[in-house]
Amino acid sequence: MNKLKLTIKAMIALATLCLLMASMSAQAGTQVEGIRIWPAPDHTRLVLDTAGKVDHNMFALSNPSRLVIDLKNTRLNTDFDKLDLSGSPVRRIRSATRNGTDLRVVLDLVSDIKPRSFQLEPNQQYGHRLVLDLIDESGSRLEKATKPTVTHDSAGKRDVIVVIDAGHGGEDPGAIGPRGTREKDVVLKMAHILADMINKQPGYIAKLTRTGDYYIGLRNRTILARKYSADLFVSVHADAFRTPQPKGASVFALSQRGATSETARWLAQSENRSDLIGGTGGVSLDGRDDMLAGVLLDLSMTASINASLGVGSSVLGKLNSVARLHKSGVEQAAFAVLKSPDIPSILVEAGFISNPQEEKNLATDWYRRKLAGAIMNGVDEYFRKTPPPGTLLAWQKQNRQGGNAISQHRVQSGDTLSGLARENQTTVSELMQFNGLRDDRVMVGQTIRIPSS
């Protein structure tokens, strides 16, 4: 009987201990184990590494500007003071225990922001994360949109604008090679090299969607290209596969299936109605009925895909001379960054970072320069053949500088500028611009220079 009593007491003690441990575990909750910050021109991303999922609530305060984040059943296990806040709207981060078990984090801000938060599951590099986006709605730190620029020609012929997009960035490392090389780092360095090469080429100017280690949403990358009035959008990536064998560079354009879905998306969203489609054509969806808008979008998207395939083929041909190709032709897929209805867009996979040899190559400056040079040459080859109207390249092609394609005509009685334009398959305005004429009047004996058409 005594043994039975002892056994019952032991079981009760064990059950009590288990309940106590469960209670302590529940009280312990999770913890913040680290913090990172990624300042971007239009937003700043603050990432809290947590031991597990966390319930949280946040609210913004003004005068002075602050953001308060309450994390339930959480304790702090890192040092916020060691975080470099330069380049961000955050002046200071404070924290304190709240209600005995909760953690309150306060961000002292330079100005008011619009906050957004979400949680991420563990990946191959990080564990659980609470992501806080501090959005600068005023756009005070964002590089202003540019109109077509003139940098190389005093006669006012604009540059071809190429927007270069380095994939991934910030909290998104992209693919990671066997030696730990991160895609986001490789493609950013390569994008800078490519931009420098383009900017040194007369008749071109380059813009970058991201200039540092931060993340930009996929749709926002194409929005930036449109704000820059881009003639071409080039997104640079480094491929990966589950096995180390695949290798080689690839070039992608948008698939027709992706174009169809994108047309539907543009028609479905009312804010797109006032957005210009076809930068040089000035076609607008504003005020159009669905049928006409659909036709305009379909025509614009088809032209954009055809141009993308053309420039992609030129780039692939140049890459073939400096690197191994994964596929011999331009591939097509429904990548979100390629879905601009009015801008020819290509995605270049510089190689497989999951392949040990290609990872080693991509980590070197000389190889990145070889690839960037090939992309530049491919882009230039395409635009020399099909330059956008109004550009220096279009003017050079029409005049074929350095050749014997410019003819001269001595004006005779009865000649008119419009008649000369018709005979030589050009326009009156082109003849006026080419000869520096203020009007369309010509005089007998006057020499008119005529470019080949």
Side-chain angles (χ1 to χ4, degrees):
M1 190 68 178
N2 289 335
K3 287 184 177 180
L4 180 60
K5 289 181 178 180
L6 288 173
T7 302
I8 292 174
K9 286 182 179 180
M11 291 176 65
I12 292 173
L14 181 60
T16 303
L17 179 62
C18 289
L19 288 172
L20 182 61
M21 291 178 65
S23 176
M24 290 175 63
S25 175
Q27 289 179 3
T30 188
Q31 60 183 11
V32 176
E33 299 176 327
I35 185 170
R36 292 181 302 285
I37 193 167
W38 312 97
D42 62 338
H43 75 282
T44 291
R45 175 160 289 185
L46 192 71
V47 182
L48 300 177
D49 291 310
T50 60
K53 290 185 177 180
V54 60
D55 289 332
H56 72 285
N57 180 46
M58 67 178 182
F59 54 93
L61 298 171
S62 297
N63 299 318
S65 300
R66 287 156 292 161
L67 181 65
V68 180
I69 309 104
D70 288 328
L71 298 94
K72 295 181 180 179
N73 206 20
T74 304
R75 61 188 178 87
L76 184 65
N77 191 27
T78 189
D79 186 359
F80 288 159
D81 292 336
K82 294 182 178 179
L83 190 65
D84 182 7
L85 301 175
S86 58
S88 80
V90 183
R91 292 191 293 106
R92 183 176 58 161
I93 303 179
R94 297 178 282 130
S95 64
T97 302
R98 183 172 178 267
N99 299 332
T101 58
D102 299 345
L103 176 67
R104 168 163 285 186
V105 178
V106 179
L107 308 183
D108 293 322
L109 303 169
V110 175
S111 59
D112 289 348
I113 52 89
K114 178 181 178 181
R116 180 182 65 184
S117 68
F118 57 93
Q119 296 192 59
L120 292 175
E121 296 290 333
N123 61 16
Q124 62 183 117
Q125 186 173 11
Y126 300 116
H128 288 278
R129 287 152 290 162
L130 172 62
V131 180
L132 309 171
D133 279 341
L134 316 178
I135 301 167
D136 177 16
E137 290 191 298
S138 67
S140 57
R141 296 186 300 136
L142 184 65
E143 183 182 353
K144 300 304 179 184
T146 59
K147 293 182 178 179
T149 55
V150 177
T151 59
H152 296 290
D153 183 69
S154 59
K157 312 300 185 300
R158 75 169 181 88
D159 296 324
V160 170
I161 300 172
V162 181
V163 171
I164 305 161
D165 171 52
H168 309 281
E171 191 66 13
D172 176 14
I176 300 176
R179 297 169 56 186
T181 307
R182 300 181 300 187
E183 179 183 3
K184 68 171 185 176
D185 300 326
V186 168
V187 297
L188 180 60
K189 291 174 181 176
M190 190 168 156
H192 277 291
I193 294 170
L194 180 56
D196 288 341
M197 290 180 174
I198 289 174
N199 284 328
K200 290 176 181 177
Q201 187 78 7
Y204 288 91
I205 191 166
K207 297 288 184 181
L208 293 166
T209 57
R210 70 177 180 98
T211 57
D213 188 11
Y214 50 83
Y215 182 77
I216 299 175
L218 298 179
R219 293 290 180 188
N220 288 338
R221 297 171 191 248
T222 58
I223 290 172
L224 275 174
R226 184 168 292 103
K227 285 182 177 179
Y228 288 137
S229 302
D231 296 292
L232 176 66
F233 178 86
V234 180
S235 191
V236 184
H237 290 255
D239 217 338
F241 197 66
R242 61 179 179 271
T243 62
Q245 285 78 23
K247 63 175 68 175
S250 307
V251 177
F252 287 85
L254 182 64
S255 67
Q256 195 58 51
R257 179 179 297 179
T260 302
S261 64
E262 188 66 7
T263 298
R265 189 186 76 86
W266 271 74
L267 289 174
Q269 295 187 0
S270 59
E271 63 266 27
N272 290 323
R273 292 295 178 140
S274 59
D275 204 357
L276 289 181
I277 304 300
T280 56
V283 181
S284 173
L285 297 186
D286 197 22
R288 314 291 188 183
D289 61 42
D290 283 352
M291 181 174 291
L292 179 55
V295 171
L296 291 173
L297 266 175
D298 187 56
L299 289 171
S300 182
M301 188 72 83
T302 300
S304 178
I305 290 177
N306 288 337
S308 302
L309 291 170
V311 68
S313 180
S314 291
V315 168
L316 197 67
K318 299 300 181 181
L319 284 171
N320 190 34
S321 63
V322 300
R324 179 191 179 103
L325 297 183
H326 183 61
K327 293 287 180 65
S328 58
V330 178
E331 301 176 73
Q332 291 181 263
F335 289 120
V337 291
L338 299 180
K339 293 183 177 182
S340 180
D342 53 344
I343 304 172
S345 306
I346 62 171
L347 186 147
V348 178
E349 295 281 7
F352 279 81
I353 204 168
S354 53
N355 178 280
Q357 184 57 50
E358 290 204 333
E359 178 194 20
K360 184 178 179 181
N361 290 342
L362 290 168
T364 62
D365 184 70
W366 69 269
Y367 191 72
R368 290 191 295 262
R369 288 189 175 278
K370 280 176 61 175
L371 294 176
I375 296 171
M376 171 66 231
N377 290 336
V379 168
D380 187 50
E381 179 183 76
Y382 173 80
F383 280 122
R384 293 288 174 186
K385 294 177 181 176
T386 55
T391 60
L392 176 63
L393 298 188
W395 185 83
Q396 288 176 340
K397 182 186 179 185
Q398 186 142 19
N399 298 320
R400 296 189 184 177
Q401 292 179 337
N404 298 315
I406 299 174
S407 61
Q408 294 184 345
H409 176 82
R410 185 175 293 275
V411 176
Q412 299 175 4
S413 179
D415 283 345
T416 63
L417 206 60
S418 59
L420 291 174
R422 284 194 302 272
E423 291 173 11
N424 292 277
Q425 297 181 343
T426 184
T427 64
V428 172
S429 60
E430 282 293 330
L431 287 179
M432 289 173 58
Q433 187 177 29
F434 191 59
N435 288 274
L437 302 176
R438 294 185 177 182
D439 54 48
D440 61 355
R441 290 177 296 180
V442 292
M443 299 175 60
V444 174
Q446 182 179 359
T447 299
I448 299 295
R449 300 170 69 243
I450 301 173
S452 295
S453 44

